[in-house]
Each structure stands twice: as C-alpha cells, then as structure tokens.
Amino acid sequence: MQVKIEESWRQVLQPQFDAPYFEILTSFVRRAYQQGIVYPPGPYIFEAFNRTPFNNVKVVIIGQDPYHGPNQAHGLCFSVQPGVAVPPSLVNIYKELSQEYNANFLARNGDLTHWANQGVLLLNATLTVNAGQAGSHQGKGWETFTDAAIQALAAQREHLVFLLWGSYAQAKGKVIDRRKHLVLEAPHPSPLSAYRGFFGCNHFIKANEYLVQHGQAPIQW
C-alpha cells in the first residue's frame, strides 16, 4: 500500500503513524487490497487530507464509510467521481442547497472536489472498505486515526465549522470545543432520516455566515 499524505497533515498525524495500532491497520489494509477489490483505489485513501491541507481547513463534514460500489469512492465523503450516478444522500444534500440558495444544485454531478479545494475537509471515519461490504473495515484502527485528525483540528485551529449529520458523526464530534468552533448538528441526509430535520437545517448558509464573521471567504457550494 504505497500512499502519500500531504505534508502538513503528516506532521500533525505523525504520532498516529508511529503508533503500534497503525502498523497493524496498515498490514490489514495492504492484505485487503492484495486479496480482493477495496475502495477507494489506493492512491485516494488519503485524498481528503491531500486536497485540504491542515491550515486550509474551514469546514469539516464527517461521513462514515467510503461508498462500496464500483467507481464511486474517491476519498472524499459523500462525493462520487464524475459520470457516476449521484447517491441518494448527496441528492438530498443538493436538495437542501437548492432550497437554501434558491438555485438548482440537482443538475450537478456528484464530484465534491471543488468543496475540498476550498477548505471543506470531507472526512470519512473509515478510509477503506471491501467492495460490496459496507462497514467491512470498521473497528480496524481507522476510527482512531480520524479521531486524532478531528481532535487536532479542534485543538490547534479556531473558528472552524463542523457539520455533524447523524448520530455517528455527532458522537465523533464530542471532542470539539464549541466555544472555539461552530458545531451544527442535524439528522443524516439519508432518505431514511433527511425528513426528520436535515431538510431546512440551513447549515450551508449558517456555515458561510460564520466564516465571514471571522474574516474568512465563504465556501462557493
């Protein structure tokens, strides 16, 4: 598993790379790629970090697993590669954006790279998954690694926006000091829960208002 991570993140996360659990995790992931189909493709495992360096992060969105279907996952949570059908949760994110901004986001493809390039860290809790097997790489160490990334942002940066959708993301965000950062919570945008309060949450407008209040450029969603 030959992967590279952006230098500022490498410095922040070096204690994780040096920890015994990470060696065990690396062995597990390398073996999984050798034995079968794993998503995302190896070079994209750390794509969220590579696209959004530590000091560039403005907004954090936390997902759970990479997509486990063909050609979907490319290392950014909720995002799929151009030409791939937009998944249901992202359709609902686009519906909410369309309502907030009175514009048609539904005509877009599912590639959220342009968010990542502007400072939106699109971080899955688990960074790899076996094809067709949701959750297959959970409990192997990735959660410890991504917890460390969230904790570092919460401790070392100020005035970030954390968008925590669903109970899983909200639990992962318990370490965040809400006096230093804006934490916005809502149900997950999945079709199973979006109607329980994700629709109408206005998180995208609220995030940009907070960024502007603290002297930062808003995200062009």
Side-chain angles (χ1 to χ4, degrees):
M1 186 178 71
Q2 296 296 320
V3 293
K4 294 183 178 179
I5 191 167
E6 189 273 333
E7 183 57 31
S8 65
W9 276 112
R10 176 172 291 284
Q11 293 176 15
V12 168
L13 295 171
Q14 192 62 51
Q16 307 307 309
F17 294 123
D18 293 339
Y21 86 87
F22 197 83
E23 184 175 345
I24 296 168
L25 169 63
T26 300
S27 296
F28 167 80
V29 172
R30 185 182 292 114
R31 195 162 55 247
Y33 275 90
Q34 290 170 347
Q35 293 176 350
I37 299 174
V38 178
Y39 298 124
Y44 291 97
I45 292 174
F46 293 120
E47 184 74 354
F49 301 102
N50 294 337
R51 287 281 177 182
T52 314
F54 184 79
N55 289 321
N56 291 6
V57 176
K58 297 179 178 180
V59 178
V60 180
I61 298 177
I62 299 173
Q64 192 163 353
D65 258 9
Y67 295 119
H68 53 82
N71 302 316
Q72 291 182 302
H74 63 129
L76 307 176
C77 73
F78 292 105
S79 181
V80 292
Q81 306 207 53
V84 177
V86 180
S89 291
L90 184 52
V91 169
N92 285 339
I93 290 169
Y94 283 168
K95 286 180 179 177
E96 173 60 21
L97 277 162
S98 298
Q99 177 192 322
E100 291 187 30
Y101 286 99
N102 194 27
N104 181 18
F105 283 78
L106 291 165
R108 295 186 173 187
N109 66 32
D111 183 4
L112 301 180
T113 301
H114 64 292
W115 290 9
N117 290 342
Q118 295 177 76
V120 182
L121 181 67
L122 295 166
L123 183 64
N124 277 315
T126 304
L127 299 187
T128 53
V129 67
N130 288 340
Q133 297 179 339
S136 50
H137 289 194
Q138 290 178 7
K140 304 297 184 182
W142 279 132
E143 295 90 342
T144 302
F145 181 79
T146 52
D147 278 348
I150 293 165
Q151 289 165 358
L153 286 167
Q156 298 178 35
R157 297 286 313 281
E158 291 186 342
H159 307 314
L160 301 181
V161 181
F162 291 84
L163 303 183
L164 306 182
W165 301 331
S167 58
Y168 186 90
Q170 289 157 18
K172 206 164 174 69
K174 288 189 185 303
V175 299
I176 301 163
D177 185 344
R178 297 172 189 230
R179 295 166 298 183
K180 285 176 61 179
H181 306 286
L182 178 64
V183 178
L184 298 174
E185 298 184 347
H188 195 277
S190 159
L192 299 174
S193 55
Y195 289 94
R196 297 204 294 263
F198 178 79
F199 291 136
C201 68
N202 290 316
H203 279 186
F204 300 98
I205 285 177
K206 290 176 181 177
N208 273 346
E209 288 175 347
Y210 182 85
L211 292 174
V212 170
Q213 286 168 9
H214 292 92
Q216 299 194 70
I219 304 299
Q220 299 298 314
W221 302 109

